[in-house]
């Protein structure tokens, strides 16, 4: 089937954008302090919290990477397996949520500092900023590609539109408004995907026709990957989710533990719908459009369906990207305010001043993200490393704070350093030997160092006392 752009699909993007901007402006009037801006005043109910958790996690990584690319490149079963790390991650956060709320910190760095000291905070801040600014830049460019594919709009114009929307929605009301737009976007995603699955299967001629048009390896459990290669695709999302600052901030923004538990159960149940739906749509797309880039598999289906259904899916995809972008931008700006500005530049800044500076950093980091992706497009390749850098550099140390009382400051910091360095060496210096993603090396290394160094330094401390 040949791809042909349909400019009429722009109407769906326009309507979505108007609703999001209007809601963002309305919610911004309810922001009076930093807690409102960064943690939504710790007032999120179960429905909104569930929606913002869902929308923040299920971003462009899912519709252009993750389930989409794996289903297109390797088959339906490896893609469906990607749901398992997400479910494990949600369950783990469900257990840790009361402890996360008890810390009451705005950033992951703040939690790490309380356990491991200032060095851990500084290192974590650098990791978060590098990873999150890159993630935001990827959302902007991805949105530009989506508009180009579906409507024929210039990629650069689409990237600018995404940059403006992402920066505006993050700046106007912080998490107070982002959580509301996230919730709407999350439920739009669910509706769009549920409608799309049966429609695209009908367009593709049904299951039997799809199976006939895909390689035989796409129907095997591993999709032609070795077991260790498959694990290399499964672990990054798990360790990113377990340590993702966005998730910690949202759990801390709930009304209470009961609200948090209800939201996370709802999030888990909806992921049982969303993740397989994305896999099935991308798998059908492999049959229809075998020669396209794997990352565009889901979006290409908008051109093969009736315009109303394609438009809903397009709006849902826009929701994926915009909500992920403004969430990560807000989170990165929070680090700039509290971990850098508040710690080293203006230690006595008032709450009002910190709120203003957070908004300023949103604009600065948003513009930087746009410039980064505009002038240095190869950063997209580097961002794949950043996911693992974050997961290996932060997640083992942050989980130990909540689940292992014997972890030491030296062990935590050593784990962070080893996780980051191992990832960079494996991916960049060694060039990813054996075609293995660095996560299968860096995460075990970070965990081993965390345990061994903690036990060694703890024993030393005991002997000295």
């Amino acid at each position: 089937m040949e791809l042909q752009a349909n400019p009429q699909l722009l109407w769906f993007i326009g309507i979505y954008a108007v609703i999001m901007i209007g809601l963002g402006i309305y919610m911004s009037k309810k922001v009076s302090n930093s807690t409102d801006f960064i943690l939504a005043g710790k007032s999120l109910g179960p429905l909104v919290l569930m929606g913002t958790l869902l929308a923040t996690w299920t971003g462009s990584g899912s519709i252009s990477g993750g389930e989409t690319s794996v289903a297109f490149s390797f088959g339906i079963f490896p893609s469906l397996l990607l749901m398992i790390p997400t479910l494990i991650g949600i369950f783990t956060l469900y257990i840790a949520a009361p402890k996360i709320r008890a810390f009451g910190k705005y950033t992951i760095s703040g939690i790490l500092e309380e356990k491991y000291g200032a060095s851990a905070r500084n290192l974590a801040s650098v990791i978060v900023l590098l990873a999150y600014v890159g993630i935001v830049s990827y959302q902007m460019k991805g949105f530009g590609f989506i508009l180009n594919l579906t409507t024929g709009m210039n990629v650069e114009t689409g990237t600018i539109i995404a940059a403006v929307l992402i920066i505006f929605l993050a700046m106007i009301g912080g998490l107070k408004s982002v959580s509301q737009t996230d919730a709407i976007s999350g439920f739009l995603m669910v509706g769009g995907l549920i409608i799309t699955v049966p429609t695209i299967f009908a367009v593709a001629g049904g299951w039997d026709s799809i199976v006939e048009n895909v390689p035989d390896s796409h129907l095997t459990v591993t999709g032609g990957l070795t077991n260790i290669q498959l694990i290399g695709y499964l672990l990054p999302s798990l360790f990113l989710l377990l340590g993702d600052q966005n998730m910690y901030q949202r759990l801390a923004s709930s009304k209470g533990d009961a609200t948090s538990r209800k939201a996370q159960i709802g999030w888990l149940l909806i992921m049982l719908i969303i993740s397989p739906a994305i896999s099935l749509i991308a798998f059908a797309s492999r049959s229809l459009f075998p020669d396209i880039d794997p990352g565009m598999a889901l979006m290409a289906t908008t051109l093969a369906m009736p315009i109303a259904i394609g438009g809903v899916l397009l709006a849902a995809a826009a929701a994926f990207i915009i909500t992920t972008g403004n969430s990560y931008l807000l989170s990165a700006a929070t680090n700039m305010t509290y971990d850098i500005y508040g710690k080293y530049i203006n230690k006595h800044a008032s709450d009002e001043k910190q709120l203003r500076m957070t908004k300023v950093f949103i604009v600065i980091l948003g513009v930087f993200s746009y410039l980064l992706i505009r002038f240095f497009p190869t950063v997209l390749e580097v961002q794949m490393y950043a996911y693992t850098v974050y997961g290996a550099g932060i997640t083992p140390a942050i989980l130990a704070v909540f689940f292992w009382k014997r972890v030491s400051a030296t062990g935590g910091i050593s784990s962070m350093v080893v996780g980051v360095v191992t990832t960079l060496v494996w991916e960049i210096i060694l060039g990813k030997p054996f075609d293995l993603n660095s996560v299968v090396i860096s995460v075990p290394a970070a965990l081993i160092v965390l345990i061994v160094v903690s036990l060694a330094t703890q024993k030393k401390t005991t002997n000295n006392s």
Side-chain angles (χ1 to χ4, degrees):
M1 183 176 292
E2 184 178 350
L3 290 176
Q4 186 173 359
N6 186 351
Q8 294 183 42
L9 290 170
L10 270 175
W11 283 102
F12 294 87
I13 293 289
I15 293 171
Y16 164 77
V18 168
I19 293 174
M20 294 300 100
I21 291 172
L23 183 58
I25 293 173
Y26 172 75
M27 294 305 300
S28 69
K29 300 181 184 301
K30 300 185 178 183
V31 175
S32 59
N33 53 49
S34 293
T35 301
D36 284 342
F37 194 83
I38 296 170
L39 297 180
K42 297 186 178 181
S43 64
L44 298 187
L47 196 62
V48 173
L49 181 58
M50 176 179 67
T52 191
L53 287 168
L54 170 66
T56 301
W57 178 243
T58 315
S60 67
S62 295
I63 65 168
S64 60
E67 293 94 329
T68 297
S69 291
V70 171
F72 189 93
S73 300
F74 304 111
I76 187 64
F77 294 112
S79 182
L80 291 174
L81 287 175
L82 286 178
M83 179 172 56
I84 296 176
T86 297
L87 300 182
I88 293 173
I90 294 174
F91 179 74
T92 304
L93 289 178
Y94 178 88
I95 297 173
K99 298 179 181 179
I100 294 171
R101 284 181 49 78
F103 264 88
K105 299 293 184 181
Y106 288 148
T107 65
I108 285 286
S109 306
I111 297 175
L112 291 171
E113 180 187 37
E114 188 163 317
K115 184 69 175 181
Y116 304 129
S119 296
R121 181 186 190 117
N122 296 336
L123 179 57
S125 296
V126 172
I127 296 172
V128 169
L129 286 172
L130 289 176
Y132 283 14
V133 168
I135 291 171
V136 174
S137 70
Y138 181 81
Q139 314 306 314
M140 294 175 180
K141 193 74 170 184
F143 192 85
F145 279 125
I146 285 175
L147 289 183
N148 173 260
L149 173 70
T150 56
T151 70
M153 180 183 293
N154 181 274
V155 172
E156 180 61 25
T157 302
T159 303
I160 293 173
I161 291 173
V164 172
L165 278 174
I166 288 171
I167 293 171
F168 178 81
L169 289 175
M171 183 188 68
I172 191 66
L175 191 58
K176 196 83 170 179
S177 64
V178 167
S179 61
Q180 304 296 321
T181 57
D182 277 1
I184 292 177
S185 299
F187 295 118
L188 177 61
M189 296 175 200
V190 177
L193 291 171
I194 289 176
I195 294 171
T196 298
V197 171
T199 304
I200 197 62
F201 265 64
V203 170
W207 177 260
D208 291 340
S209 177
I210 292 172
V211 169
E212 289 178 2
N213 292 321
V214 300
D216 292 340
S217 63
H218 281 45
L219 296 173
T220 63
V221 174
T222 63
L225 296 167
T226 64
N227 290 332
I228 192 69
Q229 286 175 328
L230 181 59
I231 291 173
Y233 282 101
L234 298 178
L235 289 183
S237 60
L238 171 61
F239 280 86
L240 178 62
L241 175 55
L242 289 175
D244 194 340
Q245 180 170 272
N246 273 298
M247 302 305 155
Y248 284 62
Q249 288 177 329
R250 277 153 177 74
L251 293 175
S253 69
S254 67
K255 289 181 178 179
D257 292 339
T259 296
S260 177
R261 286 194 294 270
K262 291 177 183 177
Q264 289 176 91
I265 291 172
W267 178 25
L268 186 147
L269 293 176
I270 292 180
M271 285 306 303
L272 290 173
I273 299 173
I274 282 186
S275 190
I278 294 174
S279 298
L280 290 169
I281 293 168
F283 187 61
S285 183
R286 178 66 173 79
S287 171
L288 292 170
F289 311 108
D291 299 323
I292 63 172
D293 186 285
M296 302 310 296
L298 186 141
M299 288 314 307
T301 62
T302 62
L303 302 174
M305 297 182 291
I307 187 169
I309 297 176
V312 170
L313 181 61
L314 178 62
F320 280 147
I321 290 177
I322 298 301
T323 55
T324 299
N326 59 41
S327 294
Y328 279 94
L329 183 57
L330 173 61
S331 193
T334 304
N335 276 93
M336 287 290 293
T337 300
Y338 291 93
D339 297 332
I340 297 176
Y341 176 79
K343 278 286 183 179
Y344 302 106
I345 300 175
N346 189 354
K347 296 181 179 180
H348 305 291
S350 65
D351 183 80
E352 182 180 356
K353 180 67 173 178
Q354 289 176 323
L355 178 56
R356 287 201 304 269
M357 289 308 301
T358 302
K359 292 183 178 182
V360 169
F361 286 131
I362 285 173
V363 176
I364 292 174
L365 293 176
V367 171
F368 180 70
S369 296
Y370 168 74
L371 294 175
L372 192 69
I373 205 64
R374 186 174 187 271
F375 293 108
F376 302 98
T378 55
V379 76
L380 289 176
E381 299 176 9
V382 179
Q383 291 324 300
M384 293 309 297
Y385 311 151
Y387 288 114
T388 300
V389 165
Y390 188 95
I394 288 182
T395 300
I398 195 69
L399 289 180
V401 172
F402 300 115
F403 295 109
W404 194 34
K405 294 181 179 180
R406 300 180 66 184
V407 66
S408 70
T410 306
I413 294 172
S414 299
S415 172
M416 295 171 70
V417 172
V418 168
V420 172
V421 172
T422 305
T423 300
L424 295 177
V425 169
W426 186 265
E427 294 278 358
I428 298 176
I429 296 178
L430 298 181
K432 204 162 78 169
F434 314 112
D435 199 28
L436 288 178
N437 289 329
S438 58
V439 69
V440 300
I441 305 298
S442 56
V443 168
L447 287 170
I448 291 171
V449 168
L450 177 78
I451 296 170
V452 172
V453 174
S454 290
L455 292 177
T457 53
Q458 187 179 60
K459 183 177 181 180
K460 181 178 180 181
T461 301
T462 302
N463 290 338
N464 288 342
S465 61

